[in-house]
Amino acid sequence: MDFDVLVVGAGLAGLVATAEAADAGKKVLLLDQEPEASLGGQAWWSFGGLFLVDSPEQRRMGVRDSYDLALQDWMGSAGFDRDEDEDYWGRQWAEAYVKFAAGEKREWLHKMGVRFFPVVGWAERGGHLAEGHGNSVPRFHIVWGTGPGIVAPFERRVREHMASGQVTYKPRHRVNKLLTRDGAVEGASGSVLVPSSAARGEASSLEAIGEFTYTARAVIVTSGGIGGNPELIRQNWPSRLGEPPARMLSGVPEHVDGRMLAITEEAGGRIVNKDRMWHYTEGLKNWSPVWRNHGIRILPGPSSLWLDARGQRFPVPALPGFDTLGTLEAIQKTGYPYSWFILTQKIIEKEFALSGSEQNPDLTGKSIRLLLKRVLPGAPGPVQAFMDKGEDFIIADNLADLVAGMNKLTGEDLLDLAVIERQIQARDRQLDHKFAKDLQITAIRGARNYRGDKLIRVAKPHKILDPKNGPLIAVRLNLLSRKTLGGLQTNLSGRVLNEAGEEVPGLYSAGEVAGFGGGGVHGYRALEGTFLGGCLFSGRIAGRAAAADLK
């Protein structure tokens, strides 16, 4: 054998698995089709949010959390309903992951130098009953340094092993086949691609200049999901969400194409929960794209008025930041692949953030000076850039001009000024007293009971049509592809299973290609901050298990 362990994919899960196997004294080969500039994969581009339970950061913000509450939220969101088959291992992974998030996860990362922004975010608030979807309390911990900050300690560990000869890293090596003998996986073969100077996230050439074959005693597949493959998204689109959308922005580069799923399936692995996926509803077309059809997600506070393409408010719980897939379903039922926010200058200054490391230079660069600018008047710099240069923003001093601009942007003339004005006036009347039957107003007031939201995330309730609250803003929201929730089914050691539920000898998987563990640790819905964490947890388990099995 050429190596003890061969890892396919140099994203976060691959780096973790490689580091853990090398720490155990194993000789590891790490392969990736992209140039070295893309080491770290999608995690580098992320906002760096991690799901933690009962953390010191939560307690300092007055948040009381527990494993039992977090597990209740997870299971209520997941909605596992294939317990005897496709969800059998996903449910067990969920229980193990929540225990990890409530236990050693933070300390493990802290020892590697990972630190967190002190204000804990409240993502996916749910809007359902206590046993339904959503986080009961704030759990979204932003890594100081965002995505690059969570990639850095694992890249450092891998490079240290590269320097000692324990790890061999080969970018521009595209796996086309997993090698098998008598049902066991024992290596990989594929194409050596032409050298590329493409920057991180940019499309790189797939021209082959050679072939390779490497053998190993264990292979760990960590190749990511299908978010950059529109055809595969449409093919797996769940009927419960209606017809596949005619148009989506892409939240990930083109190389996130899911091709290793079929390659691993050919080697004996089983794919489960193909119909489960996670796409966002608040996408903006990037005015400065890195990859084809590049979209950026708004991380909204709860105050913007959310309208469908015809100008009708969505019903609860389709509120900003509450239920991503529930809102996606509501949008799909309209027959249009977009929706609208209407808000004020005061709301955008307090409530708009953009997902992604490159959209948050203060947090990514660990700059206190830049961070303090967030409390100054005006929208955050990256948000203002989209307001100035992005095609999805309309700004006007009065509602008539705003609606006219919205109709002009789409060219479909679907919006009626009187209908929109009536709804906003009805909403604004709810602020004439401290009572309200409008559940969005109730939610805004409830959010401000949390110190973190009141401080930096949720604007003081105010009337949208009052001129003193600044110009009116409309934002066209596009559907944005992102994560695969299903994938290769694995047991609690990260070993890939076949159609009979048996382990495929020598084959392991971690990260998004494995549904972040078990072929679907999230079930139908995610609680956010759980994608990076799923890569960390499943990569750690697979790397350690592969090394232990080789003893």
Side-chain angles (χ1 to χ4, degrees), residues 124 248-249 278-286 295-301 304 306 317-325 327-328 331 337-341 352-355 386 392-393 457 475-482 528:
E124 285 296 297
M248 291 183 79
L249 299 177
W278 187 261
H279 305 303
Y280 289 113
T281 52
E282 313 99 333
L284 303 174
K285 189 170 184 181
N286 196 341
I296 296 294
R297 185 204 174 195
I298 298 170
L299 299 172
S304 298
W306 206 335
L319 302 173
F322 276 72
D323 184 348
T324 294
L325 289 195
T327 308
L328 175 59
I331 292 171
Y338 67 92
S339 59
W340 293 98
F341 275 170
F352 265 39
L354 300 175
S355 183
F386 269 85
D392 295 308
F393 281 79
R457 196 72 177 108
V475 187
R476 180 178 58 182
L477 307 173
N478 306 277
L479 302 184
L480 178 68
S481 72
R482 189 58 65 88
E528 291 289 20

Side-chain angles (χ1 to χ4, degrees), residues 57 106 109-117 142-145:
E57 288 78 16
R106 184 185 181 281
L109 293 171
H110 199 269
K111 287 180 178 178
M112 284 184 274
V114 176
R115 298 295 183 266
F116 297 98
F117 184 61
I142 301 169
V143 171
W144 188 232

